[in-house]
Each structure stands twice: as structure tokens, then as C-alpha cells.
Amino acid sequence: MLTIPAPSDAVKPDAVCGLSYEAGRILSIFNRKPLAAKAKIVCTGHTNNNDKDDTMRRFQQSLHTFAFSTLALLCSLPATAAELNNITAQQALFLMEQQKLSSVALVNYYLQQIEKNNQKGADLRAITDINRDAIKLATRLDKERKAGKIRGPLHGLPVVLKANIATKDGMPTTAGALALKGFLAKKDADLVTQLTAAGAVIIAKSNLSEWANFRGENSASGWSALGGQTKNPHKLSQSPCGSSSGSAVAVAADMTLLAVGTETDGSITCPASVNGIVGIKPTHGAVSGAGIIPIAASQDIAGPMTRTVSDAALLLQVLATDEAKSRYGDLTAAINEVQVKKVLLVRAFDGQFAAIKQMQDRVAQQLQQNGIVVEMLEQWQLPEQLNKDELTVLIYEFKRDLTQWLQESQVPAAVGSIDKIVAFNQKKGKAALAFYGQEYLQQAAAIDLEKDKAAYLQALNNSKQLAKAQLDPYLSQYDAILIPAYGPAWPIDHVKGDQFSFGTSTAAAVSGYPSITIPAGMDGQLPLGLSLVGKPWSEAKLLGLAALLEQQLPKRAIPALKP
């Protein structure tokens, strides 16, 4: 919010003077401030009631003249690297519209950021492959914009994809596995086709927990045989979580403007939380999974990973299927409307971390100050049977769905089945397996899809019922459940593997309900995330609430890139 002194003849009361949103947001760019959902200029003087209308009309006219004259001067200057630092998609698009930023310049900026800190500098290991045609694509999009042709809402904007998402652009699709090293897909994943049609520039692929963290037990999130160990940019010794580790870190460390991750259970939610970014796990089925290396079709879903809620809404609007778009409406408009009246705030983890209690106290206070009813829940415990049934489902579907993907994608015969991948890994030894095993691959290989089908269907039905039973009684009374996503990042450990303190993604993951995770606090230098869970297809409502909280809570921390 910009504060400008009112004219000398203003006497009372306080007044809000109009400034267009476009003008306000461009001013925010050059002030290097985050884009607010609404731009206002507050006049700090007072006006006499009798003269208020005339005085304010004359003042607003002079103010608009001043504001737009200032904007004209500012917009005559090209954007510099300083202005591009942590820029939002909305800001980048505005500068492109003003011809003060090109897609080539923006893509170059992120390629330089990757060069600076991916395998040098902070050695984040977030990116596995660079699109060799990125500059060529950006050049083409700049020419199209200059000619008046705008492909869609992401025209010229850089995007990073998780390395389990197929592209036919010369970048391998590998899931980080040595067995798929160099594998080039012959067809784009559906979501890639949608991104390209919307004008996005796919600049790179990101590292991940190998096989989306479903190779074996005691893994360390963010490690893959091909990509090495991704690091948390807020504290390099700590885990980035996973499996969408590289996508989250690339966004947090300003290596890309936008990224796409995938989740089966926690793989968007957890990396978003511990890296201090926004992540959306959409309603199951809202984004096409065609062309993505699978774990389990009943839970797999791709979603946005961004620095702001508005950017996440913009990206989800593009990623969504036609059916999802018809259910959602305009997600980019939804962030300006708070439809939520009553929420449930889970306080079950306050005792584990003082910083989480402080975060939840702030959340409750800000929501109540905005007229939202907040009720507290002190306990949150999932039945153990849910976890058992979920694993049964994932193992069975991993056998079914990965087998189908390997066949349809025509991977080399030597690794064309799960049995052959297991044998390949055993032959390669530590080069493929390193510090943990391949128990999940082995269990999937042992599945008989016919003989084990009845047990699978029972587990599938039971897990869905248990997950919905955890959420539905509350969502029938409240517009959303607000719950700490995960604890703060833990040390990277290649002996014991991941050491989670707690995680809360399972109920939404198994039920298929949407969850939006936003930065909501800090535990020292480590981010804490808050997940907003709602009924199926309630993303628009959740985005409005997320945008409100984003404005009210402390700003997203910029990573220190230090040990």
C-alpha cells in the first residue's frame, strides 16, 4: 500500500483515493514489492464533509495525472536484473505488455541463475536438464507478441517441469533413474501441450526423489541417481523434501518463474512447505496425467509450484482439463474474492514446535480480524489402517500403471519392464542404488495383477472411505481445514534416510481432495507451510482464502543459500 500526503486543504475524514490496479502493480514492481491483490493509495490528510466531493475529485484527477506521468517515466526504462529478482508472473507479463521486458531476457535471466547456483555456488542440484531450444522458443514468442499474436496467458513465461513429465523437446524423461538415462519421449505429456499452447517456454527439467520417491525404503528426499542430492536453499544441510524437490527449490531459489510438480502423497505439499513456496495439489483428475511416469493413477496428480498465490492460480488455470476449467470458473479472479466464512484450524502440532504454535496463533488472529470464524481442533490422527491400505494400493497400481507406461512409451527393451529395471539396478549396484534399496520396485514386480486384484480393490475402497471419513465430517461444517503441512526441514541423511517430524498430506492425497500449501511462518531460518484443504473442486474458494492469508501473514522468506 502506498501512502501519499493529501492536499493542504483537506481537513477530514480519512479518504481512500482511487488508483487503477494496473498503475498500482507497476509501481510495486519498481519499488520491488510483491504484487498485492488490490492496489490502493491512502490519503493521510482529512477532508471537510461539505467540500469532500469536489476536493476529492480535483485531488484524484491531479493524483492520476501524477501517477501515470510517473509510470510513463518508469516504463521508459528497461527492466534490470535487480527488478527480475523474484519477479512474479503478473509483474513479468505487465512489463512484457509495456515492451520493457522480453521473453528472451527473462529466459536468459533464469538460465544464468541456474548456471550460478545449480552445480556451482550453492550447488543446489535442482535442475537435471536444460532445454537447448529455450532461447529459440523465447525469440519466437517475442516476435509473435510484437506482431500482436498472444498465444495465451503464459505467453513468454519460463516454466520448469519435474523430470517425470514427458516432453519431446530433446530433454530426457527419466524420473531420475539410471535405468532411464537419456530416454527421449516421442510425445509430450498432455499438460505440456497445454503449457505450450498457452505460450509457456519450458526451460528445464528438475531433479526429484528417484521414481517419485517410490523406489525403496529409507530414501533421502531429493536424491536421484541421475541428479544427485537436491538441497534446501534456506539451509543447505537440510532436506528439500520430495518428491518434487527440484521444482520447489528452483522456484524458491529464483531459478525459474513457474514450475510443475507431481504428487501421489505429499510430493507437492511437503516440498512447498519446507522450501517456503506455494504448492497446489488439485482435486484428483483436475490435471491430465497422460505422459507422466506414474506411481498410482488413483492418487497421482500434477500441480503448480510458484512463489505467489496469484501465480499458482494462473498456472493451474492453464494446467486444468476442460472439465476442471468448467467447474473452477476464473481462478485468477477468485484470488480477489474471499468466499470463506468459517474454518477449522488444526492445533494438534502446537506442542511439537513453538514456531508452529506461533504460526497458528497468527493465522487465527488474522482470519478473525477479517471476519472469518475460526474454530480449533486439538487432535489430528489418521487410522493406521489407512496407511497400510494406501501402501497396498500404491504397490498394485505401480505394477499396473508403470508397466503400461513403459510399454506405451517404448522404452528400450533392456529396461522395458519392472522386472528388468530391478535386474538392471542389481547389476549396476551402487551406481544405481547408492545408499538405499529398491523394495517398492521389487514388491511391485512380484504383484500378480489378476490374483492380487481382489485384495487391491478392497484396500482401495477402504482407504478412500477412511480418508474421506477423516475430512468429510469437518468439511460439512467448515469451508476449509487449515493444518500445518509438515514440520521444518530435517538434516539430509544418507544413512537413516528422511526423518520426518510429522506430515499431514495423506487424507487429502488418498481422498483426492484439493490442498493448497502456502508459506505461513518460520522456525529460525526454516520455512513452515500451512495447508488449506477443501471439498472436491473448491480450489477457487481455497485460492481466495490463500490470497488473503498471503497478504496478512509475514512475507515469504528469501533463501539464504547458506549451510
Side-chain angles (χ1 to χ4, degrees):
M1 186 176 288
L2 303 171
T3 302
I4 294 180
S8 59
D9 63 344
V11 285
K12 73 174 186 180
D14 284 349
V16 176
C17 308
L19 177 65
S20 76
Y21 177 55
E22 297 296 328
R25 71 173 178 169
I26 231 351
L27 282 173
S28 76
I29 294 171
F30 285 95
N31 282 322
R32 299 178 194 170
K33 296 178 181 177
L35 176 63
K38 294 180 181 178
K40 294 181 179 178
I41 290 185
V42 176
C43 308
T44 57
H46 304 280
T47 61
N48 183 286
N49 285 333
N50 295 331
D51 299 326
K52 176 181 177 182
D53 291 343
D54 185 58
T55 300
M56 288 307 301
R57 185 161 43 251
R58 286 186 284 108
F59 176 62
Q60 286 181 341
Q61 289 173 348
S62 62
L63 178 61
H64 276 82
T65 300
F66 165 77
F68 283 100
S69 296
T70 303
L71 289 174
L73 175 61
L74 290 174
C75 289
S76 68
L77 304 173
T80 65
E83 274 106 28
L84 296 182
N85 183 25
N86 286 288
I87 195 172
T88 70
Q90 300 288 356
Q91 291 169 339
L93 286 170
F94 191 88
L95 289 176
M96 287 179 176
E97 291 165 6
Q98 299 298 314
Q99 298 183 9
K100 303 307 168 190
L101 175 65
S102 67
S103 179
V104 168
L106 193 58
V107 168
N108 261 322
Y109 170 77
Y110 289 117
L111 294 179
Q112 290 168 10
Q113 290 289 93
I114 293 169
E115 173 67 18
K116 180 180 178 181
N117 280 313
N118 193 55
Q119 295 186 14
K120 300 177 182 177
D123 191 31
L124 295 173
R125 303 279 170 159
I127 300 299
T128 56
D129 298 280
I130 300 292
N131 187 352
R132 61 192 178 193
D133 293 326
I135 296 298
K136 182 190 298 183
L137 293 170
T139 301
R140 183 183 305 159
L141 289 162
D142 284 335
K143 290 179 179 178
E144 290 178 7
R145 181 181 291 278
K146 190 173 182 180
K149 178 185 176 183
I150 303 298
R151 294 191 188 185
L154 302 182
H155 193 99
L157 298 186
V159 178
V160 162
L161 301 176
K162 189 174 178 179
N164 61 347
I165 300 174
T167 58
K168 60 178 181 180
D169 53 13
M171 288 190 290
T173 302
T174 65
L178 187 63
L180 295 182
K181 182 179 181 180
F183 174 68
L184 300 178
K186 298 175 178 62
K187 182 180 178 182
D188 285 335
D190 283 359
L191 70 83
V192 176
T193 300
Q194 292 168 235
L195 287 168
T196 302
V201 182
I202 312 300
I203 62 169
K205 287 193 176 179
S206 59
N207 198 16
L208 69 163
S209 310
E210 189 177 312
W211 290 111
N213 215 11
F214 210 65
R215 192 192 82 189
E217 300 170 355
N218 300 318
S219 65
S221 288
W223 183 90
S224 72
L226 295 181
Q229 178 64 60
T230 303
K231 300 171 186 174
N232 190 311
H234 293 270
K235 190 174 183 180
L236 301 178
S237 61
Q238 306 301 103
S239 174
C241 203
S243 63
S244 302
S245 316
S247 292
V249 171
V251 168
D254 201 27
M255 291 178 167
T256 184
L257 186 61
L258 306 167
V260 178
T262 66
E263 173 158 332
T264 306
D265 185 347
S267 289
I268 290 174
T269 303
C270 186
S273 179
V274 306
N275 290 287
I277 64 165
V278 177
I280 301 181
K281 186 207 81 68
T283 300
H284 186 257
V287 179
S288 172
I292 300 174
I293 300 177
I295 291 179
S298 66
Q299 291 181 211
D300 290 351
I301 187 74
M305 306 188 82
T306 65
R307 287 187 285 274
T308 68
V309 173
S310 62
D311 286 0
L314 178 69
L315 184 52
L316 181 56
Q317 191 81 55
V318 170
L319 294 174
T321 64
D322 289 341
E323 179 187 355
K325 288 184 173 97
S326 68
R327 290 173 177 264
Y328 286 157
D330 187 350
L331 294 177
T332 58
I335 63 172
N336 294 318
E337 182 179 1
V338 180
Q339 304 176 46
V340 170
K341 305 298 182 185
K342 185 179 180 181
V343 302
L344 182 70
L345 186 65
V346 178
R347 308 298 301 258
F349 307 98
D350 287 13
Q352 293 190 38
F353 297 95
I356 286 180
K357 181 181 184 303
Q358 294 168 4
M359 176 183 80
Q360 296 297 73
D361 287 343
R362 281 195 303 268
V363 168
Q365 180 184 35
Q366 293 301 328
L367 290 176
Q368 288 164 347
Q369 288 178 357
N370 280 275
I372 296 173
V373 176
V374 180
E375 295 187 4
M376 313 294 181
L377 181 66
E378 303 297 331
Q379 299 293 326
W380 188 266
Q381 183 67 47
L382 300 184
E384 184 59 33
Q385 189 62 42
L386 172 55
N387 295 320
K388 292 179 180 178
D389 286 337
E390 182 189 20
L391 183 58
T392 298
V393 170
L394 298 188
I395 293 292
Y396 183 92
E397 293 191 7
F398 194 38
K399 170 64 172 283
R400 182 194 68 194
D401 299 343
L402 181 58
T403 297
Q404 182 179 351
W405 184 88
L406 292 168
Q407 293 172 352
E408 291 180 350
S409 300
Q410 301 176 24
V411 302
V415 289
S417 70
I418 298 177
D419 285 313
K420 290 180 177 179
I421 291 171
V422 169
F424 173 92
N425 289 340
Q426 289 173 336
K427 182 178 180 180
K428 294 294 182 180
K430 286 188 176 182
L433 297 174
F435 60 91
Y436 73 104
Q438 54 178 339
E439 292 87 354
Y440 298 141
L441 282 169
Q442 290 170 321
Q443 290 172 41
I447 289 288
D448 184 310
L449 292 178
E450 288 301 319
K451 291 181 180 180
D452 296 325
K453 188 173 184 178
Y456 153 70
L457 289 174
Q458 182 178 356
L460 177 65
N461 181 63
N462 196 46
S463 64
K464 297 290 185 188
Q465 288 185 350
L466 290 172
K468 291 178 180 179
Q470 182 75 18
L471 300 175
D472 286 349
Y474 301 121
L475 292 175
S476 66
Q477 304 175 57
Y478 304 94
D479 293 310
I481 300 168
L482 278 58
I483 186 168
Y486 279 77
W490 54 94
I492 295 169
D493 191 333
H494 286 185
V495 177
K496 298 178 181 178
D498 285 330
Q499 303 294 307
F500 295 91
S501 53
F502 70 86
T504 62
S505 59
T506 296
V510 176
S511 65
Y513 290 7
S515 177
I516 299 178
T517 301
I518 61 172
M522 297 291 289
D523 187 353
Q525 68 188 87
L526 299 175
L528 298 171
L530 180 72
S531 289
L532 287 55
V533 180
K535 294 179 181 179
W537 309 108
S538 64
E539 281 89 330
K541 182 183 290 186
L542 295 178
L543 282 165
L545 178 60
L548 172 67
L549 287 169
E550 181 179 55
Q551 294 175 44
Q552 301 294 329
L553 296 175
K555 300 301 181 185
R556 181 185 75 90
I558 304 300
L561 302 180
K562 294 181 179 180

